[in-house]
Amino acid sequence: MSLASISSHSTRTPLSAVPDAAPATAPAVRAAVRAVPNGTEARGFVLYVGVDEADAAAAGTSLGALVQALKTLTTQLVPEAESYAAVALAPEGAGGRAIDVVRLALQEPAALAKHRNAHADEELDRAASGVVIDISRKRVVLDNHPAALTFKEFELLQYLVLREGKTVDRQEIIQALWSADTADEVPNERTIDVHVRRLRSKLGGYDEIVRTVRGVGYRFDRHADVTIRYASTPSPDLF
């Protein structure tokens, strides 16, 4: 994706234009402006517009004409205002929503962060071998294949992972994962052993990451072939 600029007198139509322009009415601008932090002042704004040439033509206009109309409106509302319009370009047939293409091409922070996270997910999923425990997306990937864990099985694994290296007794697991449950019957310690066996069976050749501490409970041990992807915010079950 790349950028180009468009002057206020442009009549070219094969453009994906993203103008700095005012909304239709001045009151709408005042309502939309958010308070700025102390020590700063608002000096303008950016309006991202996602529309391609075909959609503009179908509406009986062109991208160049749309840009010019928005720039003209800005001048009418605030004669002293200066405006600059940029063009977001993408390879033909790239797909995706036009507004997302525009935000990414113009390096809007939230769009860039989402794009980076998506690529990080792709790289993570392409791991040739090993275990990926993705707490942020509630899933486990084994040798690049998703493991078919149930919700409760993932909760159990997550609970142990978040207490890496600590032995957790069965009663603690019951209280943490079932005490607030109204739909499921609260299990006994033997039932916890069954849940752990089922979890291990789905971990395949990596079942040793969940260790049994005889007479006490269970512990998560990280190996070199285990990757943990944590959530961006603290897990509610970790204090």
Side-chain angles (χ1 to χ4, degrees):
M1 298 175 186
S2 59
L3 299 178
S5 62
I6 179 170
S7 71
S8 60
H9 300 292
S10 173
T11 58
R12 295 171 58 194
T13 58
L15 299 170
S16 294
V18 187
D20 281 344
T25 63
V29 173
R30 287 195 294 271
V33 172
R34 298 170 58 187
V36 297
N38 292 335
T40 64
E41 60 178 354
R43 297 296 301 272
F45 62 92
V46 175
L47 175 65
Y48 296 100
V49 178
V51 58
D52 59 25
E53 300 170 27
D55 288 340
T61 186
S62 68
L63 298 184
L66 180 59
V67 171
Q68 184 58 54
L70 292 172
K71 290 171 71 70
T72 299
L73 177 60
T74 300
T75 302
Q76 289 173 350
L77 294 173
V78 185
E80 297 81 8
E82 297 178 319
S83 61
Y84 175 82
V87 178
L89 305 175
E92 290 186 5
R97 296 195 313 158
I99 190 65
D100 293 334
V101 172
V102 170
R103 292 174 61 203
L104 186 59
L106 296 179
Q107 300 189 38
E108 192 265 325
L112 287 175
K114 181 179 179 180
H115 183 68
R116 283 194 297 268
N117 289 339
H119 278 278
D121 290 341
E122 291 173 4
E123 292 300 321
L124 190 65
D125 291 347
R126 282 199 290 268
S129 62
V131 182
V132 175
I133 302 173
D134 190 345
I135 293 175
S136 64
R137 295 199 290 172
K138 305 294 183 186
R139 69 175 191 164
V140 174
V141 179
L142 305 174
D143 296 333
N144 206 26
H145 296 285
L149 270 59
T150 66
F151 177 77
K152 215 63 177 182
E153 288 164 352
F154 184 87
E155 272 196 325
L156 173 58
L157 178 60
Q158 174 180 267
Y159 194 84
L160 297 174
V161 166
L162 292 176
R163 291 152 184 83
E164 181 178 346
K166 173 188 173 183
T167 299
V168 181
D169 63 50
R170 295 170 179 81
Q171 195 58 43
E172 179 181 340
I173 294 173
I174 293 172
Q175 292 175 351
L177 303 185
W178 274 272
S179 60
D181 243 329
T182 56
D184 296 339
E185 182 180 351
V186 177
N188 56 37
E189 295 189 2
R190 294 294 184 186
T191 308
I192 294 300
D193 295 338
V194 174
H195 281 282
V196 172
R197 282 201 299 271
R198 290 174 179 170
L199 171 61
R200 280 177 169 159
S201 70
K202 294 183 179 181
L203 292 174
Y206 301 102
D207 60 339
E208 74 279 1
I209 65 176
V210 177
R211 297 278 188 179
T212 298
V213 180
R214 189 173 297 277
V216 183
Y218 299 97
R219 183 183 72 237
F220 170 75
D221 285 339
R222 190 200 300 243
H223 296 178
D225 52 4
V226 176
T227 300
I228 302 173
R229 183 165 191 185
Y230 294 97
S232 57
T233 56
S235 174
D237 73 340
L238 184 60
F239 302 96

